[in-house]
Amino acid sequence: MMAAPTSPLIGVLALQGAYDAHVRTLTALGATPRLIRVPAELDALDGLILPGGESTTMLKFLDRNGFFEILQSYVKSTPTFGTCAGAILLATHVESPAQRSLAALDITVQRNAYGRQIDSSILTAPTSLPGPPLEMVFIRAPRITRTGPTVETLATRDGFPTLVRSGHILAATFHPELSADPRVHQLFLTLVRQHHADFARQSH
Amino acid sequence: MADPTSNGTSSFHEPALRLKLGLAEMLKGGVIMDVMNVEQARIAEEAGAISVMALERVPAMIRAEGGVARMANPKLIREIMAAVTIPVMAKARIGHFAEAQILQHLGVDFIDESEVLTPADETYHIDKHAFTTPFVCGARNLGEALRRIAEGAAMIRTKGEPGTGDVVHAVRHMRQIVSEIKALTVLSDQELYNAAKVHGAPYELVRMVAKSGSLPVPNFSAGGIATPADAALMMQLGAESIFVGSGIFMKERATPLEVGLYEEGDVYKDGDWYWVKIKGEWQPDVPIVRSNFGKPIDPSLIGQPRNPEERVEAISRARAIVIATTHFADAKIVADAAETVTGTMKGLAAAAIEEKDLMQTRGW
């Protein structure tokens, strides 16, 4: 039987992008971060974060040495949180333009849907998370234009989902790692603990 | 007491600056490539660049050809923005805020107030707080970096010596900044006031660096990086991303590799007639057009590389530098990447450049 980890080991994909910011947030919340650049480093993680950045660049790296296929099967069983480009990687469908994705989360994502950097914005809105309204930092953000039946929407912008969950997969089109509010990462760590508790119960 | 999170004129908690820094965070661990046309931009994106810098001449050409180097033509910048989905940067001359206003209007994602272009102001840099678009600026030492940050820069890149393919000054500037940061961290509070004077930088920023042991904005590296090993070197010395200018697409000092494809607008010969394909339609060519496009081609060549060998070389360089930047600490991966490169720009030793011809001394 596997014990629920006290300081969960969370991988942060570091091919390129906002991995530093996630590491800072995870460390502040008492988790142990590990930067992931090659498949071997995925070993023994409790959870995985796919950060923001350029999804096209990340895909180039995933195309090498079978990383894409390894990651595709890995996220099926490991709690995974994708922000921005990470959410694009997790989606079943990607638009403008269409591109390959891990298809772990039943959503359709439209890239750079709000425009370029001058259209980036910080919004604060009520969400289904406990506590006050949540600050959401959108950087050249994508838009979730469709969610499948198993997908729960936890936050929205203009009626479109910005934070969604389905089973052990969490995805945000904004950047909680760039806000001081830790609730989204806390939610992910809770999800990690639940997943391992469920796993422990099943295998008991 | 001053707000320790202020950069002098604007707080790091202020939304406009946070958005600028946010994009800079997204660009970490990657390569930003100089491109002079749409085809180069596509090659850069396909190779895994995180961003492209749109300009008319790369530094090596500016150095070789001389003249006044200015912001690129808006038409070129728009074409490149339309051709790729990754962020597009463009350069404005130091102090030339009107060029910066144009770039912001065009919607470029980052403006580089760059010493590669001919400075437009001998005293003042652009007030970068006045813009929504984030700025990156060059620096050779900590004081210069902090002065640019005080003016609103959201990213610093060490200057190196652009257009040389010689990494020595990029190394010098990165080592300089990193050692000056380390030195600040051991100073007492009372010593920091004098450190601000020594560095010629705002006290609030000097104090922030002393407490955090790092710049308050991402610190990238530029100026002479030409090989996968150069990229790995700069990343290990503390760079958070890499700018590659002339290193990808240049062959000789002023000659780019030919990476273009035969395309519509090229001319082909049929008996005594010359034809040109415009908007999908074959039309009789007039000699004045033909002289612009060089030798006639077979129409089946459209979409094929004009110079397959040189195109492959540029692609190999771009891919290998991207891989080496991400896997900078893994010598095996960097070695494998370096092995795939089919050629490297000839380069120009930075030590052979006269003081008056250095680009890095522009700005202060």
Side-chain angles (χ1 to χ4, degrees):
Chain A
M1 170 179 158
M2 194 169 147
T6 48
S7 174
L9 179 61
I10 307 294
V12 181
L13 192 69
L15 299 172
Q16 179 280 314
Y19 46 85
D20 273 350
H22 279 289
V23 165
R24 285 196 291 268
T25 306
L26 289 170
T27 308
L29 292 176
T32 307
R34 179 201 282 170
L35 296 180
I36 308 295
R37 293 192 171 96
V38 293
E41 290 163 338
L42 292 169
D43 187 44
L45 297 180
D46 296 308
L48 177 66
I49 290 181
L50 309 179
E54 291 305 316
S55 58
T56 50
T57 301
M58 295 179 197
L59 279 172
K60 301 298 168 204
F61 281 97
L62 295 180
D63 281 342
R64 300 173 62 240
N65 306 326
F67 202 165
F68 186 92
E69 288 71 22
I70 292 168
L71 200 56
Q72 197 166 32
S73 90
Y74 191 81
V75 300
K76 277 184 187 153
S77 56
T78 309
T80 302
F81 176 26
T83 55
C84 198
I88 294 171
L89 288 180
L90 287 172
T92 44
H93 298 95
V94 181
E95 292 172 344
S96 44
Q99 66 185 28
R100 222 147 81 92
S101 54
L102 298 169
L105 178 63
D106 188 12
I107 57 174
T108 300
V109 180
Q110 187 189 354
R111 292 182 58 204
N112 299 337
Y114 297 96
R116 307 192 71 94
Q117 172 63 10
I118 43 175
D119 308 299
S120 292
S121 59
I122 300 179
L123 305 174
T124 301
T127 68
S128 2
L129 300 179
L134 182 73
E135 180 191 81
M136 294 181 277
V137 180
F138 294 94
I139 309 275
R140 287 169 47 95
R143 177 156 50 206
I144 297 173
T145 55
R146 180 196 64 84
T147 52
T150 63
V151 178
E152 179 190 4
T153 297
L154 304 171
T156 59
R157 170 181 180 179
D158 308 327
F160 292 97
T162 55
L163 179 64
V164 295
R165 179 196 169 162
S166 176
H168 63 281
I169 305 277
L170 183 69
T173 58
F174 59 96
H175 293 281
E177 78 281 9
L178 299 181
S179 290
D181 190 330
R183 279 180 289 165
V184 180
H185 282 81
Q186 274 165 347
L187 171 68
F188 178 60
L189 293 177
T190 305
L191 203 145
V192 168
R193 288 195 181 91
Q194 274 171 0
H195 181 82
H196 289 285
D198 291 349
F199 181 82
R201 229 188 347 265
Q202 279 163 20
S203 55
H204 193 60
Chain B
M1 174 164 165
D3 177 359
T5 62
S6 161
N7 66 352
T9 49
S10 173
S11 165
F12 282 95
H13 294 313
E14 187 233 334
L17 191 52
R18 286 180 57 205
L19 285 169
K20 295 173 181 177
L21 291 170
L23 181 56
E25 287 287 337
M26 300 307 138
L27 296 173
K28 280 187 177 176
V31 182
I32 300 137
M33 297 184 192
D34 280 1
V35 297
M36 295 179 281
N37 54 53
V38 165
E39 198 50 39
Q40 290 183 350
R42 290 201 179 114
I43 288 175
E45 181 172 57
E46 183 55 33
I50 41 163
S51 176
V52 290
M53 176 81 70
L55 70 183
E56 279 175 23
R57 296 186 292 168
V58 297
M61 295 168 81
I62 293 170
R63 183 181 295 287
E65 293 168 359
V68 177
R70 310 180 178 93
M71 175 189 80
N73 189 313
K75 181 170 179 287
L76 173 69
I77 296 171
R78 281 190 202 276
E79 283 171 3
I80 289 172
M81 285 167 62
V84 295
T85 63
I86 53 179
V88 174
M89 303 190 182
K91 290 182 192 290
R93 281 179 265 177
I94 289 174
H96 206 316
F97 52 85
E99 284 187 347
Q101 288 162 356
I102 292 169
L103 294 176
Q104 173 164 285
H105 172 76
L106 294 173
V108 304
D109 297 289
F110 240 101
I111 298 171
D112 184 3
E113 186 182 18
S114 177
E115 68 280 5
V116 163
L117 305 183
T118 311
D121 195 310
E122 295 172 317
T123 309
Y124 301 105
H125 282 251
I126 297 171
D127 171 13
K128 293 163 274 286
H129 293 291
F131 290 79
T132 311
T133 305
F135 276 74
V136 53
C137 288
R140 290 179 296 162
N141 54 53
L142 181 61
E144 194 176 7
L146 295 182
R147 287 191 290 279
R148 296 296 85 77
I149 294 167
E151 294 158 0
M155 180 196 293
I156 291 298
R157 53 171 176 72
T158 51
K159 283 176 168 175
E161 186 54 28
T164 56
D166 186 346
V167 78
V168 66
H169 288 180
V171 169
R172 177 197 287 177
H173 300 157
M174 184 58 74
R175 283 201 185 276
Q176 177 79 19
I177 290 178
V178 169
S179 70
E180 285 174 338
I181 290 174
K182 278 187 200 155
L184 277 189
T185 61
V186 296
L187 295 187
S188 68
D189 282 357
Q190 70 179 37
E191 290 168 321
L192 287 177
Y193 297 103
N194 184 60
K197 187 185 80 180
V198 170
H199 288 291
Y203 165 75
E204 290 76 11
L205 287 178
V206 168
R207 188 168 181 277
M208 273 183 82
V209 171
K211 301 299 171 199
S212 68
S214 62
L215 289 182
V217 307
N219 185 19
F220 293 7
S221 180
I225 299 161
T227 68
D230 288 349
L233 175 69
M234 295 316 302
M235 292 296 284
Q236 290 186 49
L237 286 174
E240 294 176 299
S241 267
I242 299 292
F243 283 83
V244 184
S246 316
I248 308 268
F249 294 110
M250 293 307 287
K251 183 166 57 177
E252 302 289 337
R253 282 184 62 196
T255 316
L257 295 166
E258 172 58 84
V259 300
L261 306 174
Y262 288 111
E263 56 191 22
E264 292 199 354
D266 287 331
V267 175
Y268 93 103
K269 191 176 182 218
D270 175 26
D272 291 337
W273 286 89
Y274 288 90
W275 297 83
V276 60
K277 197 173 189 182
I278 296 169
K279 292 186 181 164
E281 295 291 322
W282 287 103
Q283 299 173 13
D285 179 37
V286 288
I288 185 82
V289 174
R290 187 164 62 245
S291 68
N292 285 342
F293 290 102
K295 101 176 176 221
I297 60 151
D298 185 307
S300 66
L301 284 176
I302 288 178
Q304 301 294 314
R306 291 167 184 275
N307 185 329
E309 231 166 72
E310 293 195 356
R311 186 180 164 89
V312 164
E313 179 173 337
I315 291 172
S316 76
R317 289 187 198 176
R319 279 193 186 148
I321 288 180
V322 166
I323 291 168
T325 300
T326 291
H327 296 289
F328 64 91
D330 189 328
K332 182 187 181 305
I333 297 178
V334 177
D336 289 347
E339 199 173 329
T340 65
V341 178
T342 57
T344 300
M345 79 179 278
K346 194 171 170 203
L348 173 68
I353 301 171
E354 286 190 48
E355 181 74 22
K356 68 175 177 51
D357 295 326
L358 289 174
M359 289 177 172
Q360 60 183 264
T361 51
R362 297 165 168 178
W364 39 90

